[in-house]
C-alpha cells in the first residue's frame, strides 16, 4: 500500500475537546511519518496547530447543513481542488457541518471518508446525513456507538480520545498560585468547560455548591476556566455570592490554551470527557458530571464504569444537582485522598488513553478503510 496522506476536517479550531483531540492526532500521525493536513475555519487554537508543522488550509464552513446550492458548490469545488493538490488518500471528518461537505468532496474525488462522532448531542437527522456517505465510522465511547448504530450498518470502531500524557503531567503550580493571589495552603476546585447550555448549568450548580462548601472549607478557592455565551450570568451569580460571603474566592480565567497549568493548581477538578482525562493525567482527583448527568468521584474501582459513560457526558444514571456536588466535594476533602488517588488515576490514563497507544488502532482503521475502498473500486 502506498503511503497514507490524511486530511483532517473541522468546523473551527476553537478551544474544545474535539479540537484538542485532533491536535493530538496530528502530532502522533506526523511522528509516525503519516502526512497530515488540516482544513478548518478560524479559531484560537490555529497557532498551536501551526506548531505541529502540518499544512493548514482555512475555509469558512456553514453553521448548519442547510445552505444554498451555489454556496455548497463553491465549497465542494474548493475542497475537491485541495484534495487533488495535496494528493490526499483519506479524509477524516470530526464535526457535522464540515464533515458533511468533506464527505461529498471525498466522494467526488473517489477518496474514502472516515467520520468520528464525538458526542450524542447532535440532531439525529444531521448524523444520518453524514453517515450515509461515510465509509468508516468512529465513536469515542460506547454510548456514542450505541447512539449511531441504527444509522450505520457497517462496523463502528470505538477509539477513545487520546491524551498527550507528556504534556498533561504533574507540574509545580506555585508561580500561577501567586499570580492569582491564592494562598499557598488554600484548597482549590477547578471547573473547565465552554460556558454554554448544559455545561453552564453544571458551572452554576458547582458555584452554588461551593458557596455552601465555603462553610466547611474556609480557605476554599474556585477557578472557572472557559468562555461562552452564559459566562456573564455565571459572573453575576459569583458577584452575588462574594457579596454574601464578604470575600472574593471565585476566579474567572476565560479561555486558556495551556489549561494544564490550572490543573496543576487544583486540588480537585470537576469536569467531564476530555477534561476529566486531562486532569487525571495531571494526577488530579476528579468529580465527573457532564451533558447527560452525574457520575461523581472517579477512582481505581469505578474507572471502567466512568469511562463507559464518558464521565457523565454521553450517559449517566442520575441528574447533576447542587446537593450531590456539595456532598461529594465535601467527602473528597474530608477523606484527604488527593495525592494517592491522583497517582492511581494517572496510571490508568497512561494505560488506557495515552495518545501514543490510541493512535495505533486509528492507523489500522485508515489502512483497512483505504484497502477496502480500493478493492470495491476494482470490483466496480
Amino acid at each position: 500500500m502506498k503511503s497514507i496522506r490524511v486530511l483532517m476536517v473541522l468546523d473551527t479550531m476553537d478551544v474544545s475537546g474535539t479540537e484538542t483531540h485532533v491536535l493530538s492526532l496530528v502530532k502522533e500521525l506526523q511522528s509516525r511519518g503519516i502526512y497530515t493536513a488540516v482544513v478548518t475555519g478560524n479559531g484560537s487554537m490555529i497557532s498551536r496547530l501551526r506548531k505541529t508543522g502540518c499544512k493548514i488550509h482555512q475555509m469558512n464552513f456553514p453553521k448548519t447543513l442547510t445552505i444554498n446550492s451555489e454556496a455548497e458548490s463553491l465549497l465542494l469545488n474548493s475542497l475537491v481542488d485541495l484534495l487533488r493538490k495535496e494528493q490526499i488518500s483519506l479524509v477524516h471528518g470530526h464535526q457535522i457541518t464540515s464533515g458533511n461537505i468533506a464527505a461529498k468532496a471525498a466522494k467526488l474525488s473517489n477518496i474514502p471518508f472516515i467520520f468520528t462522532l464525538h458526542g450524542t448531542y447532535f440532531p439525529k437527522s444531521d448524523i444520518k446525513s453524514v453517515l450515509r456517505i461515510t465509509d468508516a465510522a468512529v465513536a469515542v465511547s460506547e454510548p456514542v456507538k450505541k447512539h449511531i448504530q441504527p444509522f450505520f450498518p457497517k462496523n463502528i470502531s470505538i477509539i477513545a480520545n487520546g491524551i498527550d500524557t507528556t504534556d498533561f503531567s504533574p507540574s509545580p503550580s506555585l508561580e500561577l498560585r501567586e499570580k492569582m493571589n491564592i494562598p499557598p495552603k488554600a484548597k482549590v476546585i477547578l471547573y473547565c468547560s465552554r460556558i454554554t447550555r448544559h455545561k453552564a448549568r453544571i458551572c452554576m450548580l458547582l458555584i452554588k455548591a461551593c458557596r455552601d462548601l465555603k462553610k466547611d472549607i474556609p480557605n476554599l478557592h474556585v477557578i472557572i476556566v472557559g468562555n461562552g455565551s452564559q459566562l456573564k450570568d455565571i459572573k453575576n451569580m459569583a458577584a452575588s455570592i462574594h457579596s454574601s460571603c464578604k470575600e472574593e474566592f471565585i476566579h474567572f480565567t476565560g479561555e486558556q490554551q495551556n489549561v494544564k497549568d490550572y490543573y496543576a493548581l487544583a486540588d480537585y477538578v470537576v469536569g467531564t470527557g476530555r477534561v476529566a482525562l486531562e486532569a487525571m493525567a495531571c494526577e488530579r482527583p476528579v468529580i465527573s458530571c457532564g451533558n447527560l448527568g452525574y457520575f461523581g468521584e472517579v477512582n481505581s474501582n469505578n474507572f471502567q464504569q466512568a469511562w463507559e459513560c464518558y464521565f457523565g457526558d454521553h450517559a449517566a444514571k442520575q441528574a447533576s444537582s447542587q446537593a450531590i456536588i456539595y456532598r461529594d466535594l465535601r467527602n473528597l476533602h474530608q477523606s484527604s485522598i488527593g495525592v494517592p488517588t491522583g497517582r492511581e488515576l494517572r496510571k490508568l490514563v497512561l494505560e488506557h488513553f495515552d495518545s501514543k497507544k490510541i493512535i495505533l488502532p486509528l492507523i489500522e482503521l485508515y489502512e483497512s478503510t483505504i484497502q477496502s475502498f480500493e478493492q470495491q473500486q476494482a470490483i466496480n
Side-chain angles (χ1 to χ4, degrees), residues 329-373:
L329 283 170
R330 184 188 60 185
N331 289 343
L332 261 182
H333 173 66
Q334 290 175 345
S335 64
S336 300
I337 62 167
V339 174
T341 296
R343 287 174 180 163
E344 290 174 0
L345 292 172
R346 176 169 170 80
K347 287 179 182 177
L348 288 164
V349 173
L350 282 166
E351 183 180 349
H352 298 287
F353 296 96
D354 190 294
S355 57
K356 288 178 173 55
K357 294 180 180 178
I358 292 293
I359 201 68
L360 299 178
L362 182 63
I363 292 173
E364 288 177 5
L365 180 64
Y366 284 175
E367 292 172 342
S368 63
T369 300
I370 291 171
Q371 187 176 39
S372 297
F373 188 86

Side-chain angles (χ1 to χ4, degrees), residues 16 63 96 119-124 126 147 191 193-206 226-234 237 272 289-293 313 320:
S16 181
K63 295 188 182 300
I96 295 290
T120 59
Y121 38 81
F122 301 103
K124 290 182 178 180
D126 289 357
H147 187 67
Y191 182 73
S193 177
R194 281 185 181 173
I195 313 298
T196 56
R197 302 178 63 196
H198 297 295
K199 302 294 174 68
R201 179 177 174 272
I202 294 168
C203 189
M204 289 182 179
L205 294 174
L206 172 64
N227 210 340
S229 58
Q230 290 169 266
L231 182 60
K232 184 178 179 181
D233 296 333
I234 303 287
M237 179 186 293
T272 188
C289 54
N291 284 324
L292 268 291
D313 220 23
S320 301

Side-chain angles (χ1 to χ4, degrees), residues 81-151:
D81 189 46
L82 173 61
L83 293 172
R84 179 181 55 79
K85 286 180 179 178
E86 285 278 22
Q87 299 180 326
I88 297 299
S89 53
L90 182 140
V91 181
H92 190 168
H94 294 268
Q95 292 163 328
I96 295 290
T97 53
S98 58
N100 186 57
I101 295 288
K104 291 176 181 177
K107 287 291 170 286
L108 290 171
S109 304
N110 209 29
I111 296 170
F113 176 78
I114 288 178
F115 185 70
T116 294
L117 193 69
H118 290 266
T120 59
Y121 38 81
F122 301 103
K124 290 182 178 180
S125 58
D126 289 357
I127 297 171
K128 288 179 183 178
S129 295
V130 178
L131 289 180
R132 66 182 174 82
I133 45 176
T134 293
D135 297 292
V138 177
V140 299
S141 70
E142 184 64 40
V144 170
K145 179 179 179 177
K146 290 179 180 176
H147 187 67
I148 65 174
Q149 195 87 64
F151 319 133

Side-chain angles (χ1 to χ4, degrees), residues 56-74:
I56 302 169
H57 305 272
Q58 290 192 251
M59 192 172 290
N60 293 321
F61 290 105
K63 295 188 182 300
T64 67
L65 291 183
T66 307
I67 60 171
N68 64 61
S69 57
E70 184 179 353
E72 183 179 64
S73 180
L74 286 171

Side-chain angles (χ1 to χ4, degrees), residues 28-308:
E28 293 300 333
L29 287 168
Q30 292 195 136
S31 73
R32 284 162 172 77
I34 295 177
Y35 180 84
T36 311
V38 178
V39 59
T40 183
N42 291 319
S44 56
M45 285 184 67
I46 290 283
S47 58
R48 288 180 66 189
L49 190 59
R50 284 201 180 97
K51 289 177 182 176
T52 68
C54 78
K55 193 73 175 289
I56 302 169
H57 305 272
Q58 290 192 251
M59 192 172 290
N60 293 321
F61 290 105
K63 295 188 182 300
T64 67
L65 291 183
T66 307
I67 60 171
N68 64 61
S69 57
E70 184 179 353
E72 183 179 64
S73 180
L74 286 171
L75 279 170
L76 281 172
N77 289 339
S78 296
L79 268 174
V80 168
D81 189 46
L82 173 61
L83 293 172
R84 179 181 55 79
K85 286 180 179 178
E86 285 278 22
Q87 299 180 326
I88 297 299
S89 53
L90 182 140
V91 181
H92 190 168
H94 294 268
Q95 292 163 328
I96 295 290
T97 53
S98 58
N100 186 57
I101 295 288
K104 291 176 181 177
K107 287 291 170 286
L108 290 171
S109 304
N110 209 29
I111 296 170
F113 176 78
I114 288 178
F115 185 70
T116 294
L117 193 69
H118 290 266
T120 59
Y121 38 81
F122 301 103
K124 290 182 178 180
S125 58
D126 289 357
I127 297 171
K128 288 179 183 178
S129 295
V130 178
L131 289 180
R132 66 182 174 82
I133 45 176
T134 293
D135 297 292
V138 177
V140 299
S141 70
E142 184 64 40
V144 170
K145 179 179 179 177
K146 290 179 180 176
H147 187 67
I148 65 174
Q149 195 87 64
F151 319 133
F152 196 74
K154 303 175 190 176
N155 183 50
I156 299 169
S157 303
I158 298 179
I159 302 176
N161 280 332
I163 304 298
D164 184 340
T165 55
T166 302
D167 188 21
F168 290 97
S169 58
S171 60
S173 63
L174 184 60
E175 186 178 337
L176 182 57
R177 188 177 281 261
E178 289 176 352
K179 184 180 177 181
M180 297 185 71
N181 294 316
I182 297 175
K185 293 186 179 181
K187 287 293 179 182
V188 178
I189 294 171
L190 173 77
Y191 182 73
C192 177
S193 177
R194 281 185 181 173
I195 313 298
T196 56
R197 302 178 63 196
H198 297 295
K199 302 294 174 68
R201 179 177 174 272
I202 294 168
C203 189
M204 289 182 179
L205 294 174
L206 172 64
I207 287 177
K208 289 178 181 178
C210 288
R211 175 196 60 198
D212 299 337
L213 198 62
K214 187 75 172 166
K215 299 168 189 174
D216 302 286
I217 314 173
N219 64 344
L220 176 68
H221 282 254
V222 180
I223 299 175
I224 308 298
V225 178
N227 210 340
S229 58
Q230 290 169 266
L231 182 60
K232 184 178 179 181
D233 296 333
I234 303 287
K235 285 185 173 181
N236 288 339
M237 179 186 293
S240 176
I241 290 171
H242 289 161
S243 178
S244 64
C245 292
K246 297 181 173 54
E247 180 187 350
E248 293 189 5
F249 65 98
I250 303 170
H251 310 262
F252 294 89
T253 72
E255 188 178 271
Q256 296 292 325
Q257 292 194 34
N258 293 319
V259 71
K260 64 176 182 177
D261 297 333
Y262 292 88
Y263 293 140
L265 179 58
D267 291 283
Y268 316 114
V269 173
V270 177
T272 188
R274 189 177 186 89
V275 167
L277 289 169
E278 290 172 351
M280 288 185 280
C282 294
E283 294 189 355
R284 300 300 90 190
V286 166
I287 296 282
S288 69
C289 54
N291 284 324
L292 268 291
Y294 191 79
F295 182 83
E297 177 202 340
V298 181
N299 55 51
S300 56
N301 294 325
N302 65 15
F303 186 83
Q304 180 63 28
Q305 294 118 296
W307 147 240
E308 287 170 0

